[in-house]
Amino acid sequence: MAQQQASTITDKWGVALAVLIAGGFMAILDTSIVNIAIPKLESVFSVDTAQVQWVVTIYMLTLGVVVPLAGYLGERFGYRRIYILSLVIFTVGSALSGLSWSLSILTVFRVLQALGGGLIMPITMSMVYRMVPRESIGTAMGFWGLGIIVAPAIGPTLGGWLVEYVDWRLIFYINVPIGILGAFLALAYVPKFPSSNTGPFDMVGFVLSATGLFGLLLALSEGQTWGWNSEPIVLLLVASTLFLVLFTLWELTVKHPLLNLRVFAHGSFAMANLLVIIITVAMYSGVFYVPLFLQTVVGYGALKTGLMMMPAAAASAIMMPISGRLYDKIGARPLVLGGLLILTYTTFLLHRLSTTTPVSDVVLWLTLRGIGMGMAMMPATTAGMSAVPTELVGTGSAINNIMQRVAGSFGLAFMTAVLQSQATLHATTIAASYTPTSQPAVQFMHQLTGFLVQNGMALGQSVSLTTTELYDLIQQQAFVMGIDDIFVLGAGITLLGAFLSLFLKTYRHQRTSNQMIVD
């Protein structure tokens, strides 16, 4: 009976996969498209940045809470049913977010949106592993993973265009027709997945995981604002760590765990998730800090910056299906190793960023990074899941999604802390060489003061303005040097990942012999 069901499910997986990709892409896109609208939302609702930032933060926190539920809900009620339900909830949340008349209402509707969006990716990943033959899983995952890499790169560009030239509400409304169409297509083309008796719901495990992940993600997102040494952040980090440790101990002892953590004992699941963490940190360093440099230092607008990021997204989009196809033939290790080496080299190249760096160089470096990302990300994920039994696929996909979300938040928090520390250090060093009596400072201030006086400014006012301008230039140069240091650190982290990929094993099924081979 099970074999008959499996063969029915895998007959037409190509069309079903396309339907799932659309839903997953939409859910990931919404994690980045809203960021670009923060300044607009400030003016619309007459609030400050700290308040409007919660529109982004609450979405991420809710995602972390609901992801662990994906495996249980899918097994208990059927994966297709939960997928369609989550898509409907996400679509309704998007429509209501677009209708919002205040920031508090928008924040509430973003929670509703995230309740659906948080389930979409782990649910679709589980369905892919159930409906695609294992000998073709690399190809399928190469296409499925397009949203994970491409959507964060496209989000700022699309969001910037909608906010700047159309209406900020469209960043939410754009999901509505896609979500409605996706739900009907899922009913028509996605196969039904049988539900199973998973035992009683692990309420203790859910409370422990939800509390721990919520606290951890909140601390990582607000640590820079509140201060890493502040009492709230320290308490959040200590408490979330305690809850996650208790969650681990509970899950290893309870008969019907929410997440069966013994999945880490299968194949390369543990090593693959470590590599996914490293690749995610590398991805967000490019997606976040390059646009930050281009907008803050160079002065480009959001749309122009987004367009500069587009070739990298296109390179990843082209490379991911290719790497998936190669995975089915040669396994994950050469692809992950090659991709991480490309990532290491191109991330190191980004440490050359300055105000005089040609646009063509930046686009080239980012495009090469996109190729490396497309080579490494999904083969690593697929290798981790390759030896996981079917009954643990739901748990494996949920854990994989949790790892990516925590890695993204941790990577940005850690890198930003290093950036600020290095920028402060560089500013102090530079300022030491620009004392009031030093030759470079005297020459700069003399030239600028003379220019301002010639253009009609009073001498006293020009001296004050010159001093301010010198301070601003020092701070800008220190900030640029800090970003350059970030990319050197990122290159070192990805180089470590390249070394670890040598120990990655792939469990592949051969179509001809129907046997599993280990690479």
Side-chain angles (χ1 to χ4, degrees):
M1 179 72 177
Q3 290 181 346
Q4 185 179 7
Q5 175 69 25
S7 64
T8 302
I9 289 176
T10 57
D11 281 345
K12 298 178 180 179
W13 60 266
V15 178
L17 177 63
V19 174
L20 298 181
I21 289 172
F25 188 89
M26 186 174 62
I28 294 294
L29 181 69
D30 221 65
T31 61
S32 62
I33 195 174
V34 180
N35 292 346
I36 204 72
I38 287 178
K40 181 68 174 180
L41 295 176
E42 289 178 34
S43 62
V44 169
F45 296 121
S46 301
V47 294
D48 58 31
T49 303
Q51 290 174 293
V52 80
Q53 185 66 40
W54 275 99
V55 173
V56 177
T57 303
I58 199 66
Y59 186 87
M60 180 194 66
L61 296 178
T62 307
L63 290 182
V65 171
V66 301
V67 167
L69 292 171
Y72 172 82
L73 293 176
E75 294 290 342
R76 177 66 179 82
F77 300 102
Y79 280 93
R80 188 181 77 157
R81 183 178 302 171
I82 296 300
Y83 171 69
I84 294 174
L85 178 62
S86 63
L87 200 58
V88 169
I89 293 173
F90 178 80
T91 303
V92 171
S94 297
L96 293 174
S97 295
L99 291 171
S100 297
W101 54 90
S102 70
L103 184 66
S104 57
I105 292 298
L106 176 58
T107 304
V108 172
F109 289 152
R110 284 283 281 173
V111 172
L112 178 63
Q113 192 185 30
L115 289 175
L119 293 174
I120 289 177
M121 289 306 287
I123 288 291
T124 56
M125 184 178 182
S126 298
M127 286 194 286
V128 169
Y129 269 89
R130 279 171 166 78
M131 71 184 184
V132 177
R134 286 299 175 103
E135 63 268 17
S136 301
I137 195 64
T139 301
M141 289 296 291
F143 282 101
W144 175 85
L146 287 173
I148 295 177
I149 291 182
V150 179
I154 291 179
T157 307
L158 179 60
W161 181 78
L162 291 174
V163 170
E164 189 171 345
Y165 295 106
V166 192
D167 188 344
W168 68 269
R169 296 180 187 275
L170 281 175
I171 63 177
F172 300 111
Y173 287 150
I174 194 174
N175 297 322
V176 176
I178 301 175
I180 294 173
L181 180 61
F184 282 110
L185 290 176
L187 283 170
Y189 295 106
V190 175
K192 292 183 178 179
F193 294 83
S195 58
S196 61
N197 184 12
T198 56
F201 178 64
D202 180 15
M203 179 58 73
V204 175
F206 172 68
V207 171
L208 291 174
S209 68
T211 307
L213 288 173
F214 187 93
L216 178 60
L217 291 172
L218 179 60
L220 293 175
S221 64
E222 299 297 330
Q224 204 63 44
T225 304
W226 298 353
W228 289 107
N229 294 325
S230 65
E231 184 177 341
I233 294 298
V234 172
L235 288 176
L236 277 172
L237 289 174
V238 172
S240 61
T241 301
L242 175 61
F243 276 108
L244 290 175
V245 169
L246 291 174
F247 169 73
T248 301
L249 296 175
W250 174 262
E251 296 299 279
L252 292 175
T253 56
V254 70
K255 185 177 180 181
H256 299 287
L258 180 68
L259 293 176
N260 191 339
L261 299 182
R262 290 181 177 83
V263 71
F264 282 100
H266 291 276
S268 292
F269 188 79
M271 178 60 70
N273 275 274
L274 179 58
L275 290 173
V276 166
I277 290 173
I278 291 173
I279 296 169
T280 302
V281 170
M283 178 178 71
Y284 277 95
S285 68
V287 169
F288 183 80
Y289 293 107
V290 172
L292 179 66
F293 170 82
L294 294 175
Q295 292 180 351
T296 305
V297 179
V298 184
Y300 292 157
L303 184 58
K304 183 175 181 179
T305 299
L307 290 174
M308 290 179 63
M309 305 291 289
M310 286 295 289
S316 292
I318 294 170
M319 194 64 216
M320 288 189 69
I322 295 174
S323 64
R325 185 71 174 172
L326 291 173
Y327 171 95
D328 291 329
K329 296 181 180 298
I330 63 175
R333 189 185 301 134
L335 294 168
V336 177
L337 176 60
L340 282 171
L341 288 176
I342 293 174
L343 265 179
T344 300
Y345 178 64
T346 52
T347 302
F348 182 75
L349 286 178
L350 286 173
H351 91 284
R352 299 178 182 175
L353 280 177
S354 70
T355 54
T356 59
T357 304
V359 170
S360 58
D361 285 358
V362 178
V363 173
L364 175 62
W365 297 342
L366 292 175
T367 302
L368 292 175
R369 284 185 93 251
I371 293 173
M373 199 75 65
M375 283 182 63
M377 174 65 89
M378 292 320 298
T381 301
T382 311
M385 297 288 292
S386 61
V388 174
T390 303
E391 64 271 15
L392 291 179
V393 163
T395 288
S397 61
I399 290 175
N400 184 268
N401 276 265
I402 292 170
M403 291 291 186
Q404 288 186 26
R405 300 198 188 287
V406 173
S409 299
F410 172 77
L412 287 180
F414 174 67
M415 291 287 195
T416 302
V418 173
L419 169 61
Q420 293 205 347
S421 175
Q422 290 298 104
T424 302
L425 177 62
H426 289 307
T428 303
T429 304
I430 296 172
S433 63
Y434 278 84
T435 60
T437 58
S438 67
Q439 185 61 31
V442 170
Q443 185 176 358
F444 171 81
M445 296 182 69
H446 177 73
Q447 290 176 347
L448 185 56
T449 301
F451 173 79
L452 294 174
V453 170
Q454 287 178 3
N455 284 272
M457 184 175 289
L459 180 61
Q461 188 179 2
S462 66
V463 170
S464 176
L465 183 61
T466 300
T467 304
T468 302
E469 183 68 19
L470 178 60
Y471 174 81
D472 290 342
L473 287 174
I474 290 174
Q475 294 300 314
Q476 184 187 78
Q477 181 61 29
F479 181 73
V480 172
M481 294 172 71
I483 285 184
D484 292 343
D485 291 343
I486 285 296
F487 288 119
V488 173
L489 175 62
I493 293 173
T494 50
L495 183 60
L496 172 63
F499 171 74
L500 293 176
S501 69
L502 295 173
F503 304 96
L504 186 65
K505 293 182 180 180
T506 309
Y507 297 79
R508 294 187 296 120
H509 288 256
Q510 286 191 320
R511 186 188 301 270
T512 54
S513 61
N514 197 29
Q515 292 180 339
M516 180 182 287
I517 60 173
V518 182
D519 295 321

